[in-house]
Amino acid sequence: MDIAIICASHSDEVLDANLRRSPLIAEGTRPFHLERDAVSAAQAYNRALDATTAEVVVFAHHDCYLPRGWDALLQRRLAEVAEADPDWALFGPFGVGLDASHIGPVWSSSIGLIVGRVPTQPTRVQSFDEMVIVMRRSAGLRFDEALPGWHMYGTDIVTQARARGLHAYAGALPTIHNDRYHDHLRQDFVDCYQAMRHKWRDHLPLRTPIIKISRSGLHLYKNRWQDYRSESFRANMSVGVAHPPEHLASICGWADLTASAL
């Protein structure tokens, strides 16, 4: 299967400590394309689409680690999706199901947990965590460069697909997200929330991994209040980013996914 890995990064330190250590990149198993100096995720990823030709494009954050055998397991998951839905558009290791459940086992350092349930088969979703998004190029999707910044594009690209009668899926594809603790939602997140609320007004509500996008927008203020009240608890859950990602994969039982029973 023709697969390329895409990353938009502003930090060689973070990139070298995580995504570049993934065996499929470190050993040159798959093509790796890096984007710099974009004003938004949409701009970076559209530039990457124009610069690459692979049919399956993996957009990955620089603080992710893809364990050994990750691409082989990805191919298994995509074969399962294609068998049921030959015109699938998107896949991810973590998404929000149509019933608002969290789908897909991912380690998050910011909360010190494996999040997402393990589905028995790939499950349709309404949004992705942007840490990793897999796109079938021939689905003809593009990221919306009118969407500001670096948030919500995982929900936007799925909603684009669904508006065209295409589908997005999440499944059992263990991934390490060696992310930092976030104490609260900042203004750039608020800007993206409001842009999504206006763009998809006729499709609301939509649930992202972080927040519900509603017509009223009141969930933004509810989420901020919940963040304020839970800040100390969430900070204590975080394990920080000092651990090598290979170690995190090992303690999760994901050191080598080649023979995974998932």
Side-chain angles (χ1 to χ4, degrees):
M1 184 178 290
D2 190 15
I3 300 173
I5 314 298
I6 305 298
C7 179
S9 177
H10 64 277
S11 170
D12 282 332
E13 179 181 3
V14 175
L15 179 63
D16 291 344
N18 294 285
L19 186 61
R20 270 194 175 138
R21 293 171 74 146
S22 304
L24 77 172
I25 296 173
E27 298 170 9
T29 306
R30 300 290 179 181
F32 177 62
H33 178 88
L34 180 63
E35 283 289 334
R36 303 277 200 191
D37 303 320
V39 298
S40 68
Q43 183 189 80
Y45 288 167
N46 284 341
R47 286 197 303 205
L49 282 171
D50 292 338
T52 59
T53 60
E55 170 63 3
V56 175
V57 185
V58 177
F59 302 96
H61 281 186
H62 62 181
D63 58 359
C64 287
Y65 175 78
L66 313 178
R68 183 172 299 280
W70 189 91
D71 52 335
L73 187 55
L74 172 62
Q75 291 182 80
R76 283 170 50 190
R77 294 291 170 258
L78 296 185
E80 292 167 356
V81 171
E83 183 177 1
D85 182 1
D87 295 324
W88 69 275
L90 300 159
F91 184 86
F94 187 86
V96 178
L98 303 184
D99 62 354
S101 60
H102 286 184
I103 309 295
V106 166
W107 166 267
S108 173
S109 293
S110 66
I111 56 175
L113 291 171
I114 297 174
V115 294
R117 66 177 177 85
V118 182
T120 57
Q121 59 187 7
T123 303
R124 286 187 186 179
V125 296
Q126 60 181 296
S127 65
F128 288 126
D129 187 299
E130 289 85 2
M131 53 168 285
V132 173
I133 298 173
V134 180
M135 177 185 290
R136 183 174 63 87
R137 183 185 296 271
S138 55
L141 295 171
R142 302 277 292 186
F143 292 90
D144 183 1
E145 296 190 32
L147 188 67
W150 300 85
H151 304 283
M152 302 283 182
Y153 58 91
T155 305
D156 181 72
I157 197 70
V158 173
T159 311
Q160 283 191 56
R162 295 176 68 200
R164 291 174 46 184
L166 302 172
H167 302 295
Y169 297 83
L173 185 62
T175 303
I176 300 295
H177 192 194
N178 202 15
D179 54 336
R180 298 175 184 275
Y181 166 68
H182 310 288
D183 54 357
H184 65 278
L185 304 178
R186 290 174 167 73
Q187 188 59 45
D188 57 341
F189 186 95
V190 174
D191 292 343
C192 289
Y193 181 94
Q194 300 294 14
M196 287 288 290
R197 190 165 68 90
H198 290 295
K199 176 179 178 179
W200 295 111
R201 187 172 185 83
D202 293 338
H203 292 73
L204 299 180
L206 293 169
R207 290 186 179 272
T208 81
I210 301 297
I211 196 170
K212 181 179 180 179
I213 307 174
S214 57
R215 287 194 177 189
S216 69
L218 292 177
H219 287 82
L220 180 63
Y221 302 100
K222 179 181 179 181
N223 188 281
R224 282 183 145 180
W225 175 244
Q226 290 173 336
D227 280 353
Y228 171 75
R229 295 187 63 188
S230 65
E231 184 175 341
S232 177
F233 175 77
R234 290 182 294 110
N236 287 333
M237 290 179 67
S238 173
V239 299
V241 295
H243 300 287
E246 298 93 336
H247 173 69
L248 296 174
S250 179
I251 63 174
C252 292
W254 300 341
D256 189 341
L257 304 177
T258 304
S260 174
L262 289 172

